Amino acid sequence: MKRVMLTTAALVLAMAAGTPLSAQDTGLKAAVKADYDANLAILFDWFHRNPELSGQEVQTSARLAQELTALGYEVTTGVGGTGVVAVLKNGDGPTVMIRADMDGLPLQERSGLANASTARQVDSDGVEKPVMHACGHDVHVTALVGTARQMMARKANWSGTLVLIGQPAEERIFGARAMVQDGLYTRFPKPDYALAFHVSADTPTGQIEAPLGIAYSSSDSVDIAVKGVGAHGASPHMGVDPVLVASQIVVSLQTLRSREINPLEGAVVTVGSIHGGIKHNIIPEQVDLQLTVRADSPEVRAKLLDGIDRIARNTALALNVPEDRLPVVTRSATETTPATINDTQTAQRVRDIFATTFGPEVLRDTPRTGMGAEDFANFIQPETGVKGVYFNVGGTPEAEVETAAGHHSPLFKITPEPAVTLGIEASVAAAEGLMPKTT
C-alpha cells in the first residue's frame, strides 16, 4: 500500500512541477507498462481479492476515490448510491466521459488463481453469499485509474473536460440509471461523448472489438404470478391447476420469438425460474415464473413485453382461470435497460484512432453470439444527445480462448496485464482523439 501511494504522489508532484517524464515513459505504451509494474498490478490484485455485490461497492468506491483524488481530480462520491465521479478540466473543448463498472457477482471463485476471492457479503435479500469478480470489473476499475494517470500526465495532448465515473450495480442493471437520476448530467459536466470498455474472455489479448452499431441487447426482468384454485391432486376437477396453466404459458411464450418476430431480428424470452407447489398430491394456489426478455430494438422490445401480458392473460382464460385469479405480470422497475447501440459516426472515428495508434490488425470483428445486456445504454440514449462508444478488449491468450471459462462462471479468469494495459491505452487514445488539442 505504501509503495502505491508513494509512487502516485511522486508522479503527481512531477506533473505539477512540469518535470518531463523519464525516457522510458516517453511513449504511451511504455508509460502504461511502467505504471502497471509500479502501481496497477498491486491495485488490480486488491480489487480482485475484495469484490463487492451490486449496490454495495463501499470499499471499492472508497479505494477508487482515493486513487483519483491523489492524482489531482475533483472527486465526488455517493452518486447514485456508491458511484464515483471525477472531473478534470483542461481548457476549451468537448467533454468526454469514461465509465468503469465496479460490482462483483454472488459466486464462489474456483479459478485456481493464487489471489482468488474468498470474500463473502450479505446481499440485498439478507442472505450471505460468496463474491467474486466473474465478469472482469476489477480490470475495468483498475484501468480507469491507469487512464486517469495518463490523461493527467498527457494534458498537453488534449483540450476539453474529462469525466471519469465508477459505476455501481451494472450486474443488476440499475447503477447507470441511478447515477443519471442522481444528477450525473446536471451536477457535473454533461459529456459530448461517452466511452466504456469490457474485458472479454473469448477475445484474444491484444485485440479490440468496436462495433459500429449495436453492442448489447436490451434486458427486462419480468415476474408472472400464475394463480389457480387449490385442490387435492386426486380430484383436479375440483380446482384450477396453476402448474398446468404456468406450463402452457411457458410453452406459448416461445411463439413470440418463433411466430411474431421477424426471424432476422434479435429476440429472446427465457423463463429462468418456475416455482410452485409443496407436495405430490396437492394442487397449489400459485406458481411463480421469472423471465428475462432481450431485444435489439425498442420496437421488438415493446412487442415482446406486450405479448407476455397478452399470452399470460389469455392462456389463463382459455384454461378456465376465474377472472379474479388471472395472472399478475410485473415488469421490474430496476432490472431493466435499453439496448446499447454505438453512435456509428463516433464509433468509426474511434476505430480509426485505434487503427492509427495500434495498427489495423488490433481490430477484430466477429458476429455476436448472444444477447447479453449492459446498462451503459442509459448514458447514451438518443434523448441525452450523448454519443457513445462501447468496445471490448481481449482478456485471454489466443491459444487458450477455445477453452476459456465464460463470463459469470466460477472458473472465470483473464490475464490481467495485457487486458488492463490495452484497456488504458485504448481509452487514452480514444479520449485524446475526441478532444484534440486546440491552438
Side-chain angles (χ1 to χ4, degrees):
M1 179 67 179
K2 287 184 179 179
R3 182 184 177 192
V4 174
M5 296 310 297
L6 285 172
T7 305
T8 300
L11 283 168
V12 172
L13 288 173
M15 292 177 224
T19 304
L21 294 174
S22 64
Q24 74 176 57
D25 292 336
T26 53
L28 176 58
K29 182 176 288 292
V32 172
K33 167 63 174 170
D35 188 25
Y36 188 87
D37 291 344
N39 303 298
L40 299 178
I42 299 169
L43 185 62
F44 172 82
D45 183 76
W46 189 89
F47 284 131
H48 188 82
R49 292 176 186 270
N50 296 280
E52 295 176 289
L53 294 170
S54 301
Q56 302 183 56
E57 308 91 342
V58 177
Q59 294 184 73
T60 305
S61 61
R63 181 65 184 268
L64 177 60
Q66 173 190 338
E67 296 286 336
L68 296 175
T69 299
L71 289 172
Y73 283 75
E74 182 182 337
V75 177
T76 303
T77 59
V79 181
T82 56
V84 178
V85 178
V87 178
L88 176 61
K89 296 181 179 179
N90 187 34
D92 296 331
T95 296
V96 171
M97 183 178 83
I98 304 177
R99 169 273 214 169
D101 38 15
M102 303 186 293
D103 51 331
L105 285 158
L107 290 168
Q108 180 68 58
E109 183 167 359
R110 302 203 315 271
S111 65
L113 295 172
N115 64 347
S117 169
T118 59
R120 299 185 66 85
Q121 193 174 25
V122 177
D123 206 346
S124 56
D125 58 7
V127 177
E128 184 180 85
K129 299 173 182 176
V131 193
M132 72 170 285
H133 274 299
C135 204
H137 296 187
D138 44 359
V139 170
H140 306 165
V141 71
T142 304
L144 190 71
V145 174
T147 299
R149 183 170 289 118
Q150 296 307 317
M151 293 299 290
M152 179 67 82
R154 297 164 62 92
K155 288 173 67 176
N157 294 353
W158 59 277
S159 182
T161 299
L162 179 66
V163 180
L164 305 177
I165 64 171
Q167 183 211 302
E170 186 279 330
E171 296 295 358
R172 294 184 60 192
I173 57 176
F174 67 78
R177 186 186 315 103
M179 293 190 78
V180 171
Q181 291 174 344
D182 198 18
L184 179 63
Y185 287 170
T186 55
R187 296 166 54 192
F188 307 96
K190 183 179 177 181
D192 299 289
Y193 305 100
L195 302 171
F197 83 88
H198 204 297
V199 64
S200 174
D202 57 5
T203 300
T205 52
Q207 294 199 298
I208 299 172
E209 295 180 302
L212 294 176
I214 187 163
Y216 289 95
S217 303
S218 67
S219 177
D220 291 279
S221 293
V222 179
D223 295 324
I224 306 178
V226 182
K227 301 181 181 182
V229 177
H232 196 293
S235 304
H237 63 291
M238 301 296 290
V240 178
D241 188 353
V243 175
L244 175 63
V245 177
S247 300
Q248 189 63 55
I249 289 173
V250 171
V251 173
S252 297
L253 286 174
Q254 300 314 307
T255 64
L256 290 170
R257 162 70 273 187
S258 66
R259 289 297 178 269
E260 297 192 33
I261 304 299
N262 184 325
L264 300 181
E265 295 193 74
V268 165
V269 178
T270 292
V271 180
S273 173
I274 178 168
H275 289 279
I278 56 173
K279 200 174 186 301
H280 304 72
N281 61 351
I282 297 175
I283 292 176
E285 293 189 316
Q286 182 167 315
V287 174
D288 294 311
L289 306 178
Q290 294 182 321
L291 288 65
T292 187
V293 183
R294 308 297 173 105
D296 284 349
S297 71
E299 295 77 18
V300 171
R301 184 187 189 192
K303 194 166 187 177
L304 292 176
L305 292 171
D306 292 344
I308 291 168
D309 293 342
R310 184 189 76 241
I311 287 172
R313 173 183 172 84
N314 290 308
T315 300
L317 287 171
L319 295 177
N320 204 31
V321 175
E323 288 276 356
D324 63 348
R325 302 286 294 168
L326 293 179
V328 176
V329 181
T330 305
R331 302 176 189 176
S332 174
T334 54
E335 295 189 12
T336 174
T337 185
T340 299
I341 303 175
N342 285 347
D343 177 72
T344 301
Q345 184 176 358
T346 308
Q348 185 60 64
R349 185 175 171 187
V350 168
R351 284 173 63 95
D352 292 343
I353 292 168
F354 290 159
T356 300
T357 304
F358 308 112
E361 64 277 3
V362 76
L363 291 170
R364 179 176 187 259
D365 296 305
T366 57
R368 293 169 64 216
T369 57
M371 298 189 71
E374 165 58 68
D375 73 344
F376 179 74
N378 288 284
F379 297 130
I380 60 170
Q381 285 303 287
E383 61 269 21
T384 67
V386 179
K387 298 176 181 179
V389 179
Y390 196 104
F391 58 95
N392 289 329
V393 169
T396 303
E398 188 165 12
E400 301 173 17
V401 167
E402 291 297 321
T403 58
H407 294 246
H408 292 215
S409 163
L411 304 177
F412 176 85
K413 60 181 177 180
I414 48 81
T415 306
E417 181 172 353
V420 170
T421 55
L422 183 55
I424 295 168
E425 293 167 29
S427 297
V428 170
E432 289 185 352
L434 294 172
M435 295 187 289
K437 187 70 175 181
T438 57
T439 56

